[in-house]
Amino acid sequence: MLPLAKMKTVSLSSTQLSQAKQLLKSGEVIGLPTETVYGLAADAANPKAIEKIFKIKQRPTNNPLIVHIANLTQLNNIAQNIPDYALKLAKAFWPGPLTLVLAKQNKINNIITAGQATVAVRMPNHPLALDLIQEFDLGLVAPSANIYTKISPTTKAHVIKGLNGKISAVLDGGECSVGIESTIIDCTTFEPIILRAGMITEQDINAVLVDQIIPSNKNKKSKIKAPGQHKVHYSPTKPLILLNKNDLQLKIAEFAKNKIPFAGFGFNQEQAENWIIMTNDPISYAQKLYNILHDLDALNIDFILAQLPPQDATWAAINDRLSRASHKQELI
Ligand code: TXA
Ligand code: MG
C-alpha cells in the first residue's frame, strides 16, 4: 500500500458547510460530526473516495461501512425489501443512534458492503450532518473517525489528534451528545437481532415492536457478519484494567506500594492522584466515556484502571465497549 501524502487538515465551522460539501463532491474524505461519535465521511457514490477511508483508518476491507442518510428517499435508493418492523424502528428512532442492516440495492458498491448482499443504514441526529448528507443521492458512508481499533472520537480535537495530515478537513459540530456508537440491528431475518449494543437498548426496541420482538432465545444467532465486532477494539494505548470494586482497591494499593503511575475512573473516590468519579446514570456516563479515555491515555502513566459498571441492560453498551477496550488485560 502506498504511503498517504501529508495534507493540511482544516477545521470547518457550521458556517462553512458549503466548503465541506465541495470537498466531499470532489472525492475528499472529511471528519463529520454525528450524535454518537465523529465519522470519517465520503460520498457513497464515489468508490475512489471510499477506498481512501480504508487506507486512512488502516481498516481491513472485509469490514463494511455504514451509509448515513437524511431522508427516506435515500433509504429507498440504498436498501430494498425493507421489512415492516424495520420501518417501524426507523420511524421510532430516526434520526438517532440506530443502524439497520437491510438488503442492499444493486447500485450500492461492494466496497461499502465488503461484498455482502446487505447494507447498514443510519440517519444520524445531528443538524450539520443531516444538512450535508441530503446533498448526496446515496448518502455518505462514514465509519468512526479513528485509526482501526483505537478509541472513537467524540470531539473535533480527537479527530485531529488521530488523523491530522491524513484528511483534508473536519467539520466542527461540538461534542457528541450520545458518545458511543449506534446500536446495530440485523433486519434481514423474520425477527430483528442486535449485532452491536448501543444506547438504544433491547427494551427500547421491544417497546416499539410489540408483535415482532427480538427473540429472547439467544441461540437464534444472526447469520449476518459484523466483522468490526472483534474483541480488541476502542483501545487506549495504555493498558486498561477493568475491575470490580474490591479488586480495584487491591490493585490501587498494589500500584501505590510499587510506585506504578496510573489513572482511572470509578463510582467512588479512591486513594489516587488521577481519579475521575463517574456518574451512575448510564446516559451521561456514555456521553463522557471516550473523552475520559482520550484524556487519561494522554497522561504520563503506565495503566488506566476502570471500575466495572452495573451488569444490567441499561449498561450493556457501556460494558461492551469497556470490555473490548480492556481485552488485552486478559493476557496479563
Ligand atoms: O454510531 C455509529 O454507528 C458511528 C457513526 C459515525 O455513525 N459509526 C460507526 O461505524 O461506528 P464503524 O464503521 O466504526 O462501525 C460500523 C460497524 C462495523 O462493526 C461493521 O462491521 C458493521 O457496522 N457493519 C457495517 N455494514 C454492515 C453490514 N452490511 N452487515 C453487518 N455489519 C455491518
Ligand atoms: Mg468504529
Side-chain angles (χ1 to χ4, degrees):
M1 203 184 282
L2 286 173
L4 289 161
K6 266 258 189 199
M7 60 174 89
K8 190 170 160 16
T9 302
V10 295
S11 168
L12 300 174
S13 72
S14 57
T15 57
Q16 294 170 301
L17 267 186
S18 61
Q19 266 167 268
K21 178 184 157 192
Q22 223 44 60
L23 285 167
L24 289 164
K25 291 274 181 200
S26 68
E28 290 295 337
V29 167
I30 70 164
L32 178 79
T34 84
E35 82 283 31
T36 56
V37 300
Y38 273 70
L40 190 56
D43 179 356
N46 185 338
K48 285 235 159 62
I50 300 168
E51 256 172 47
K52 289 186 194 167
I53 290 182
F54 286 94
K55 280 194 186 142
I56 293 166
K57 262 189 81 87
Q58 297 162 32
R59 174 178 175 122
T61 49
N62 68 357
N63 193 350
L65 303 176
I66 297 174
V67 182
H68 294 68
I69 58 169
N71 53 59
L72 296 183
T73 307
Q74 288 172 318
L75 177 64
N76 291 311
N77 287 342
I78 292 160
Q80 57 182 331
N81 305 327
I82 304 171
D84 284 347
Y85 73 79
L87 291 174
K88 250 191 203 169
L89 292 176
K91 205 167 159 217
F93 296 111
W94 281 355
L98 182 74
T99 297
L100 304 177
V101 174
L102 300 162
K104 83 175 185 80
Q105 289 281 10
N106 289 342
K107 61 186 159 200
I108 294 300
N109 197 292
N110 275 330
I111 186 176
I112 297 176
T113 63
Q116 301 189 65
T118 58
V119 62
V121 188
R122 172 167 115 78
M123 190 187 292
N125 187 15
H126 193 293
L128 297 183
L130 291 171
D131 270 3
L132 263 185
I133 294 165
Q134 62 168 354
E135 305 282 345
F136 297 82
D137 290 346
L138 297 184
L140 295 176
V141 287
S144 51
N146 52 295
I147 300 287
Y148 190 59
T149 78
K150 300 293 184 206
I151 314 166
S152 297
T154 55
T155 64
K156 172 195 83 171
H158 296 159
V159 177
I160 292 184
K161 189 174 73 176
L163 301 177
N164 194 18
K166 297 194 170 92
I167 56 175
S168 52
V170 52
L171 179 61
D172 188 359
E175 202 171 315
C176 300
S177 59
V178 173
I180 62 177
E181 299 81 355
S182 61
T183 308
I184 304 182
I185 315 245
D186 176 4
C187 297
T188 64
T189 47
F190 180 69
E191 291 153 319
I193 297 175
I194 295 185
L195 298 177
R196 177 174 74 184
M199 294 312 284
I200 292 178
T201 64
E202 185 170 326
Q203 283 84 336
D204 297 334
I205 289 158
N206 285 345
V208 171
L209 303 180
V210 187
D211 50 353
Q212 213 161 8
I213 61 172
I214 291 170
S216 55
N217 178 356
K218 297 289 180 205
N219 293 329
K220 280 192 180 167
K221 275 258 168 73
S222 169
K223 285 195 199 77
I224 292 278
K225 285 183 289 177
Q229 293 307 93
H230 61 78
K231 278 190 163 177
V232 184
H233 215 136
Y234 317 106
S235 304
T237 52
K238 309 281 161 60
L240 182 125
I241 311 179
L242 186 60
L243 297 165
N244 65 32
K245 194 168 180 337
N246 271 344
D247 292 343
L248 179 71
Q249 285 173 338
L250 292 174
K251 190 55 98 183
I252 290 173
E254 178 197 319
F255 281 173
K257 188 164 157 238
N258 297 314
K259 298 199 164 32
I260 295 172
F262 70 95
F265 54 99
F267 297 98
N268 310 98
Q269 183 60 57
E270 304 292 347
Q271 295 284 334
E273 201 182 317
N274 291 301
W275 194 259
I276 295 171
I277 301 174
M278 302 298 282
T279 152
N280 53 23
D281 165 35
I283 293 171
S284 345
Y285 186 112
Q287 200 265 331
K288 294 187 185 77
L289 177 61
Y290 289 162
N291 207 359
I292 287 172
L293 288 176
H294 278 281
D295 282 355
L296 297 185
D297 205 24
L299 298 176
N300 195 9
I301 51 165
D302 292 350
F303 292 94
I304 301 173
L305 300 183
Q307 182 177 350
L308 196 65
Q311 295 302 296
D312 62 75
T314 51
W315 291 85
I318 293 165
N319 280 310
D320 170 75
R321 301 310 188 273
L322 280 174
S323 78
R324 288 176 206 279
S326 68
H327 182 66
K328 274 182 291 215
Q329 286 314 304
E330 286 176 17
L331 305 173
I332 289 177

